């Protein structure tokens, strides 16, 4: 990959901050203890884990004892869904929103094999989850509701505290996937009032391979993995100390960086949106409160996949639909839930800015976008 290539896909993953890498390196070299060992090496690893737990807890507005480390956001979501819903054998309904990441919907649908019913909570045209639809779902006894805090495609932010309140009033547990929210908006587990919340390291300039479920200790949850009893017996397996240390270090940087990062990415995103308007694009979710760094848009007559490849050839990395499902040609399920026509949805492209992007990069991107859109429009016009 050339140094000239410009990364505008920061909702898929992010560059490791050099300070994070520095914090990790000793645990990949001489400090290689197993955190369960009693000797000096093990104790050093345990201490490093304890510190990371405090750092992650602080960034999430939680207590360190509420942090259960996992290997990814996907794993934490699976843990929450199967562990919390699957624990109440008498209540056989769970509810998930129509715009969830597959790391929530797939484990939810997998529970059907155990006799569960999955209620899908609708979203509106703006990308917001519909409280009335949740209300209808809650008419049936429901063990767990899962609604994400910020959507990975549109960036739209949900009113989690209000939705969690509704669910709790009916005796349901509430989980939120906050993978895209951490580092981009202030996050406070306590004031959200949820029982469980998922976060992931590599979305916040930490390493890939670490995540966490923040869990209210009063919740009865089934262990995800059985074995040596790590993570309070809920997620056995030797901890990935270096990755978790990196996750902690990345979380420790959030507090001071959050505002500046939001300001920078909002400026870039707003600049992009002016360019998009001039080119006649439709921008999805732009009427709702959304993450400052994200723009999800489409041009009527251009396939998203084609535009992504054309921009890649010009040196720009952007995503079509959701990066996590980029092997699929189906239109984005998020846009389908928002009532966007499948034809327009097939044109969807996502740009997500990060801490390292600059206005010079934006200007170069806008120039490339304009020329590629014009070229592809001409090709489409000739083909018709
Ligand atoms: N949830 C959301 C909203 C995401 O955007 C992603 C990744 O893109 C995940 C979960 C999965 O997290 P991880 O990549 O750490 O497995």
């Amino acid at each position: 990959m050339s140094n000239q290539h410009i990364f505008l896909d920061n909702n898929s993953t992010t560059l490791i901050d050099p300070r994070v890498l520095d914090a990790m390196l000793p645990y990949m070299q001489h400090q290689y203890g197993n955190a369960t060992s009693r000797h000096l090496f093990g104790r050093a690893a345990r201490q490093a884990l304890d510190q990371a737990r405090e750092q992650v807890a602080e960034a999430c507005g939680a207590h360190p004892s509420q942090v259960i480390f996992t290997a990814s956001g996907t794993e934490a979501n699976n843990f929450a869904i199967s562990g919390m819903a699957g624990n109440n054998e008498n209540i056989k309904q769970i509810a998930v929103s129509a715009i969830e990441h597959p790391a929530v919907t797939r484990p939810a649908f997998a529970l059907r094999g155990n006799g569960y019913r999955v209620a899908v909570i609708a979203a509106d045209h703006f990308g917001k989850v519909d409280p009335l639809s949740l209300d209808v779902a809650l008419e049936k006894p429901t063990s767990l509701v899962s609604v994400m805090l910020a959507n990975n495609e549109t960036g739209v932010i949900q009113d989690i505290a209000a939705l969690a309140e509704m669910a709790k009033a009916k005796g349901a547990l509430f989980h939120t996937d906050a993978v895209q929210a951490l580092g981009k908006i202030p996050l406070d587990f306590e004031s959200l009032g949820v029982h469980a919340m998922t976060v992931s390291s590599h979305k916040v300039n930490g390493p890939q391979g670490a995540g966490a479920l923040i869990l209210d200790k009063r919740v009865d949850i089934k262990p995800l993995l059985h074995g040596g009893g790590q993570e309070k017996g809920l997620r056995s397996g030797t901890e990935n100390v270096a990755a978790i240390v990196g996750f902690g270090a990345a979380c420790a940087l959030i507090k001071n960086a959050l505002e500046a990062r939001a300001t920078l990415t909002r400026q870039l995103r707003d600049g992009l949106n002016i360019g998009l308007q001039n080119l006649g694009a439709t921008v999805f979710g732009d009427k709702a409160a959304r993450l400052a760094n994200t723009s999800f848009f489409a041009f009527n007559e251009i396939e998203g996949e084609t535009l992504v490849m054309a921009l890649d050839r010009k040196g720009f990395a952007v995503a079509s639909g959701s990066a996590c499902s980029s092997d699929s040609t189906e239109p984005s399920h998020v846009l389908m839930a928002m009532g966007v026509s499948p034809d327009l949805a097939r044109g969807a492209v996502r740009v997500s800015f990060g801490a390292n992007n600059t206005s010079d990069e934006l200007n170069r991107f806008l120039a490339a976008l304009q020329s590629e859109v014009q070229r592809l429009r001409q090709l489409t016009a000739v083909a018709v």
Side-chain angles (χ1 to χ4, degrees), residues 302-311 313 320 372 375-376:
I302 302 174
E303 282 278 330
E305 206 54 44
T306 309
L307 185 54
V308 167
M309 295 319 294
L311 289 166
R313 280 192 292 275
S320 69
E372 286 310 302
R375 186 179 66 80
L376 292 168

Side-chain angles (χ1 to χ4, degrees), residues 177-254:
D177 174 348
V179 165
Q180 293 293 344
L182 179 65
K184 298 186 186 119
I185 55 174
L187 196 53
D188 189 57
F189 181 68
E190 290 306 322
S191 60
L192 285 174
V194 300
H195 297 98
M197 178 172 93
T198 295
V199 286
S200 172
S201 157
H202 71 107
K203 311 286 186 182
V204 292
N205 303 96
Q208 296 170 351
L213 187 68
I214 313 297
L215 184 68
D216 181 330
K217 281 185 286 180
R218 290 164 297 187
V219 171
D220 193 18
I221 188 166
K222 271 202 294 217
L224 177 69
L225 297 173
H226 300 274
Q230 288 90 344
E231 299 302 301
K232 300 203 193 84
L234 294 173
R235 197 275 182 189
S236 286
T238 301
E239 290 95 343
N240 183 350
V241 179
I244 291 172
V245 163
F247 187 15
C251 282
L253 296 173
I254 288 175

Side-chain angles (χ1 to χ4, degrees), residues 138-167:
L138 289 170
E139 281 170 10
K140 288 205 171 76
T142 303
S143 61
L144 174 69
V145 176
S146 183
V147 178
M148 71 201 325
L149 180 46
N151 185 263
N152 44 305
E153 298 187 14
T154 60
V156 171
I157 298 166
Q158 307 298 330
D159 300 327
I160 292 302
L163 299 173
E165 213 38 61
M166 288 171 66

Side-chain angles (χ1 to χ4, degrees), residues 31-328:
Q31 292 194 21
Y32 51 88
N34 182 322
T36 53
S37 305
R38 302 246 178 242
H39 48 60
L40 184 71
F41 288 79
R43 291 199 306 275
R46 165 66 46 207
Q47 249 176 25
L49 287 184
D50 288 347
Q51 190 192 4
R53 207 179 295 285
E54 279 169 23
Q55 291 165 321
V56 172
E58 195 184 343
C60 294
H63 190 270
S65 62
Q66 295 173 317
V67 177
I68 314 291
F69 284 121
T70 61
S72 62
T74 298
E75 190 183 301
N77 279 343
N78 274 258
F79 179 27
I81 301 294
S82 59
M84 287 160 76
N87 226 358
N88 195 338
E89 293 300 326
N90 301 321
I91 304 181
K92 290 283 191 187
Q93 169 167 283
I94 69 170
V96 299
S97 90
I99 59 163
E100 293 305 303
H101 189 276
V104 164
T105 39
R106 295 214 173 128
F109 286 127
L111 281 171
R112 283 174 169 164
N114 301 347
Y116 281 79
R117 182 179 179 277
V118 181
V120 177
I121 313 158
D124 64 18
H125 187 62
F126 305 107
K128 296 275 285 194
V129 169
D130 181 1
L132 291 178
S133 175
L134 174 59
D135 212 26
V136 171
L138 289 170
E139 281 170 10
K140 288 205 171 76
T142 303
S143 61
L144 174 69
V145 176
S146 183
V147 178
M148 71 201 325
L149 180 46
N151 185 263
N152 44 305
E153 298 187 14
T154 60
V156 171
I157 298 166
Q158 307 298 330
D159 300 327
I160 292 302
L163 299 173
E165 213 38 61
M166 288 171 66
K168 286 193 292 186
K170 294 287 179 76
L173 294 172
F174 198 99
H175 164 256
T176 189
D177 174 348
V179 165
Q180 293 293 344
L182 179 65
K184 298 186 186 119
I185 55 174
L187 196 53
D188 189 57
F189 181 68
E190 290 306 322
S191 60
L192 285 174
V194 300
H195 297 98
M197 178 172 93
T198 295
V199 286
S200 172
S201 157
H202 71 107
K203 311 286 186 182
V204 292
N205 303 96
Q208 296 170 351
L213 187 68
I214 313 297
L215 184 68
D216 181 330
K217 281 185 286 180
R218 290 164 297 187
V219 171
D220 193 18
I221 188 166
K222 271 202 294 217
L224 177 69
L225 297 173
H226 300 274
Q230 288 90 344
E231 299 302 301
K232 300 203 193 84
L234 294 173
R235 197 275 182 189
S236 286
T238 301
E239 290 95 343
N240 183 350
V241 179
I244 291 172
V245 163
F247 187 15
C251 282
L253 296 173
I254 288 175
K255 200 171 168 188
N256 287 333
L258 193 134
E259 221 175 284
R261 194 176 294 180
T263 306
L264 166 77
T265 57
R266 179 172 289 111
Q267 269 165 8
L268 297 174
R269 202 266 316 271
D270 290 350
L272 170 64
N273 277 3
I274 293 171
L276 289 172
Q277 269 167 21
N278 293 340
L279 288 170
T282 302
V283 180
F284 305 112
D286 60 344
K287 304 286 183 297
R290 61 186 171 139
L291 298 175
N293 77 319
T294 307
S295 186
F296 198 36
F297 56 90
F299 296 96
N300 238 331
E301 57 287 68
I302 302 174
E303 282 278 330
E305 206 54 44
T306 309
L307 185 54
V308 167
M309 295 319 294
L311 289 166
D312 188 48
R313 280 192 292 275
K314 290 246 166 171
F316 298 92
V318 300
S320 69
S322 164
C324 302
S325 58
S326 60
D327 57 342
S328 136

